[in-house]
Amino acid sequence: MFLSIRNRSNTQPTPIVQGLTIVMLMVTFQLLSGCVPVYDLATRSLLPNEGVRVSSYNVKTKRLVGFTTSDGVRLISDIHFPKKNGKTPTILVRIPLTNKLGNRVRADVIGRYWARRGYTAIIQGTRGRYGSGGKFYPLLYERQDGIETLEWIKKQPWFDGNVFMWGASSFGHSQWCISDRPDLGLKALFVQIASTSFRRMFHDGGAFSLESGLFWAIRSRGSQDREVKMTNLDQAVQDFPLIEADDRAIGDTPFFNDWVLNQNDNKYWQKIDGVNRTHTLQVPILLMAGWFDPFLPTQIEDFNQVINNANDNVATETRLIIGPWGHANEVTLPGSQQSLPYRPASLAPSIPWFDYNLGIGKDKFNLPKVKIFVLGHNQWRNEKEWPLERTQYTPFYLHSNGKANSVSGGGWLDEKIPQSEEPSDSFLYDPLNPVPSAGGAMLGPRSGIHLQNSIELRDDVLIYSTHTLSEPVEVTGPVRLIIYVHTNVVCTDFTAKLVDVYPNGNAYNLCDGILRRNYQPSKNTEKVPTKIEIDLWPTSNVFMKGHKIRLEISSSNFPRYDRNPNTGEFIPEATKTVTAKQTIFHSNQFPSHLMLPIIPN
């Protein structure tokens, strides 16, 4: 969704961020003084060069180049041309940003980076943004406008017949929308932190991804992007009903309303997500994901769907990278207080990937089928598939003496199925006092890895921990919780979180999930358990010697997800709440367990 090369973590700015800040100041001065911007000298040492073909061309830039769509909307582009004879391949990026100086400088830096290596780079505004006409509404018009853009490129005298696309989030969505059109010159795609299902990103486990949706609405409402003040977001989410959160934050926002209200409207989401785009993909695709990005599970699913359903030549060439990132931002790694910059990582493979698919250069594209960053060890590793073939799915059973509430409650995890009737654990879930979010996979600056210790002091959070590990344990793959529950309300949520506990007691989140569903109230006083499964999303982490594996269970993770008022009313419009009594069973008859994908040493 965001192209800005700005560090969004709590760490100090990275060298590339500091360097590009200097570049922006230089270019701003040059623009104001009437000089031609000279980005290239400054950016040669700042943008990725390792494994990237040496730049060979000077660049000329044309602005406000465009065409009119079939329904009368003028789409505008900045085009960066390499100064060379003959026709050139094209890299197309379609951006939904405001055409202000900062965004234009960042786009120019990247466009000229490609043009200096022989590609014509087109930075085009989507409807209502970056100089293009029409009314801005995220995601809705990308297929129509994308196809007509390819048709327009095909007619240009400088075009050699090959189009590549690059970009993250909604930039990635603009690629998936036209991924079935090699007839219009499409050659290969590089999609980052986006998937074919925005619907499932917004409605994971049946709940609404509130912080992500509202962050987007505050930032992108109207004709101008704006900075998001998290205090405004926090104030907006505190009241009911959910559908008015945007009004309280920034004003009524039609696309936010549609995202909230249309969870079950297939026609609405098909206009955005299409149907089986992984099956109809006709060109190779490089996918880049982040462990703390809200598109992670659906992006991994896209990868496997392509492998299993796309044409052989497409499936064979498709690649997946998963790094230690949130949504276009780096994540501070516990213990090291360091982070791996996202922006250069998202740009570095572009030239090698496009060159490889264009068939130029002597070097092969040296990237495995799957490349993952393993947390804990904090190292990259090459793999052949996802999930890993050598995975040993291992159940860790929940145990307690009936008082697993909070970190001092004594709940534990081990690989032994309960042999007796252990007492169940219960807690009260009050929608007016939800468990606050601390990190996780969200849009905005609060994603990533955060301390969980204050959360684990609450009585409405059940805690189950292993013994202190005598040797490292690697968990890499999809994580799932199978539990037997009871509630006294007709509709409620259950949440779960996998946590790495360090020897000093610091507890850090890895992955989490939620399940919202209806329940049948008991007709008598006996509690009849219901078996449910919660997907905690994929992860890759080595729990080091001296650490503990921990599971948190509750009924809220707010405002990462919206609150369930427990009344059974239509949640977007509900204004009343009731408190739910939640019970978790763990016994020989009801063996609640956490299924971990263990990787042998």
Side-chain angles (χ1 to χ4, degrees), residues 34-90:
C35 300
V36 176
V38 286
Y39 307 87
D40 302 323
L41 180 62
T43 59
R44 284 174 192 171
S45 60
L46 296 172
L47 297 184
N49 289 299
E50 184 178 352
V52 178
R53 178 164 47 85
V54 175
S55 59
S56 305
Y57 302 99
N58 293 322
V59 179
K60 62 179 179 180
T61 297
K62 291 186 178 180
R63 303 199 185 276
L64 303 178
V65 180
F67 71 97
T68 302
T69 65
S70 58
D71 60 346
V73 173
R74 186 76 175 169
L75 298 181
I76 297 298
S77 303
D78 290 336
I79 306 181
H80 306 280
F81 298 93
K83 292 183 178 180
K84 59 177 293 188
N85 295 325
K87 298 182 178 183
T88 59
T90 294

Side-chain angles (χ1 to χ4, degrees), residues 445-502:
R446 299 197 294 205
S447 65
I449 303 175
H450 289 248
L451 280 171
Q452 306 299 304
N453 295 64
S454 61
I455 288 173
E456 295 179 348
L457 298 176
R458 295 174 59 114
D459 283 342
D460 56 356
V461 179
L462 303 181
I463 304 291
Y464 304 90
S465 306
T466 65
H467 58 76
T468 300
L469 300 177
S470 58
E471 59 183 19
V473 175
E474 180 180 338
V475 173
T476 296
V479 180
R480 188 162 46 101
L481 177 64
I482 300 92
I483 52 174
Y484 295 82
V485 304
H486 179 269
T487 182
N488 64 342
V489 296
V490 295
C491 178
T492 194
D493 298 347
F494 284 93
T495 63
K497 186 184 299 177
L498 181 65
V499 174
D500 188 349
V501 184
Y502 279 57

Side-chain angles (χ1 to χ4, degrees), residues 372-590:
I372 61 175
F373 189 90
V374 182
L375 300 167
H377 277 167
N378 295 340
Q379 295 176 348
W380 287 101
R381 193 171 71 204
N382 298 338
E383 297 290 349
K384 298 178 180 179
E385 71 283 311
W386 183 275
L388 311 188
E389 185 177 346
R390 63 187 183 278
T391 304
Q392 297 177 358
Y393 292 97
T394 306
F396 283 71
Y397 294 93
L398 282 60
H399 303 271
S400 82
N401 294 315
K403 296 291 183 180
N405 310 72
S406 84
V407 70
S408 60
W412 74 93
L413 289 173
D414 63 31
E415 297 179 50
K416 299 176 181 179
I417 191 168
Q419 298 299 310
S420 62
E421 290 299 317
E422 295 182 359
S424 58
D425 294 305
S426 296
F427 64 93
L428 296 178
Y429 160 49
D430 179 1
L432 299 180
N433 183 26
V435 177
S437 300
M442 302 175 286
L443 302 187
R446 299 197 294 205
S447 65
I449 303 175
H450 289 248
L451 280 171
Q452 306 299 304
N453 295 64
S454 61
I455 288 173
E456 295 179 348
L457 298 176
R458 295 174 59 114
D459 283 342
D460 56 356
V461 179
L462 303 181
I463 304 291
Y464 304 90
S465 306
T466 65
H467 58 76
T468 300
L469 300 177
S470 58
E471 59 183 19
V473 175
E474 180 180 338
V475 173
T476 296
V479 180
R480 188 162 46 101
L481 177 64
I482 300 92
I483 52 174
Y484 295 82
V485 304
H486 179 269
T487 182
N488 64 342
V489 296
V490 295
C491 178
T492 194
D493 298 347
F494 284 93
T495 63
K497 186 184 299 177
L498 181 65
V499 174
D500 188 349
V501 184
Y502 279 57
N504 62 2
N506 285 346
Y508 295 97
N509 59 297
L510 292 170
C511 58
D512 60 70
I514 191 169
L515 181 65
R516 173 171 296 171
R517 55 161 286 177
N518 294 329
Y519 292 86
Q520 186 69 38
S522 300
K523 296 181 180 180
N524 50 49
T525 57
E526 182 182 359
K527 294 180 179 179
V528 179
T530 299
K531 181 181 179 181
I532 65 172
E533 297 188 11
I534 304 175
D535 289 326
L536 273 70
W537 292 30
T539 191
S540 179
N541 182 72
V542 176
F543 293 83
M544 304 300 287
K545 178 181 178 180
H547 289 218
K548 296 179 182 179
I549 301 171
R550 177 170 291 169
L551 170 68
E552 298 176 4
I553 296 177
S554 192
S555 285
S556 50
N557 183 351
F558 176 79
R560 167 153 157 63
Y561 298 109
D562 68 320
R563 295 168 287 180
N564 193 325
N566 296 329
T567 61
E569 298 174 287
F570 183 51
I571 290 178
E573 298 175 349
T575 58
K576 298 180 179 179
T577 69
V578 297
T579 296
K581 184 175 182 180
Q582 319 288 51
T583 301
I584 308 297
F585 296 83
H586 41 82
S587 64
N588 185 264
Q589 184 180 3
F590 304 113

Side-chain angles (χ1 to χ4, degrees), residues 2-9 13-14 16-18 20-21 24 100 103 106 215 219 226-228 327-330 342-344 445:
F2 313 117
L3 184 66
S4 60
I5 311 179
R6 184 165 54 84
N7 183 22
R8 297 177 180 271
S9 72
T14 60
I16 188 170
V17 174
Q18 294 173 327
L20 286 175
T21 300
M24 289 179 62
K100 57 186 179 181
N103 287 337
R106 296 177 187 110
F215 184 91
R219 183 172 177 84
R226 63 186 57 78
E227 291 299 315
V228 179
H327 193 76
N329 66 302
E330 47 262 37
Y342 168 80
R343 298 297 176 180

Side-chain angles (χ1 to χ4, degrees), residues 198-200 202-209 242 256-270 273 516-517 562 570-572:
F198 277 71
R199 179 186 197 172
R200 286 177 55 194
F202 279 124
H203 295 281
D204 175 51
F208 180 65
S209 299
L242 169 65
F256 177 85
N257 298 337
D258 290 341
W259 294 340
V260 172
L261 294 171
N262 292 315
Q263 176 180 357
N264 299 314
D265 188 336
N266 292 331
K267 290 184 179 179
Y268 173 79
W269 289 107
Q270 283 180 10
D273 292 333
R516 173 171 296 171
R517 55 161 286 177
D562 68 320
F570 183 51
I571 290 178

Side-chain angles (χ1 to χ4, degrees), residues 326-342:
H327 193 76
N329 66 302
E330 47 262 37
V331 171
T332 302
L333 303 175
S336 68
Q337 296 303 309
Q338 295 179 347
S339 60
L340 184 68
Y342 168 80

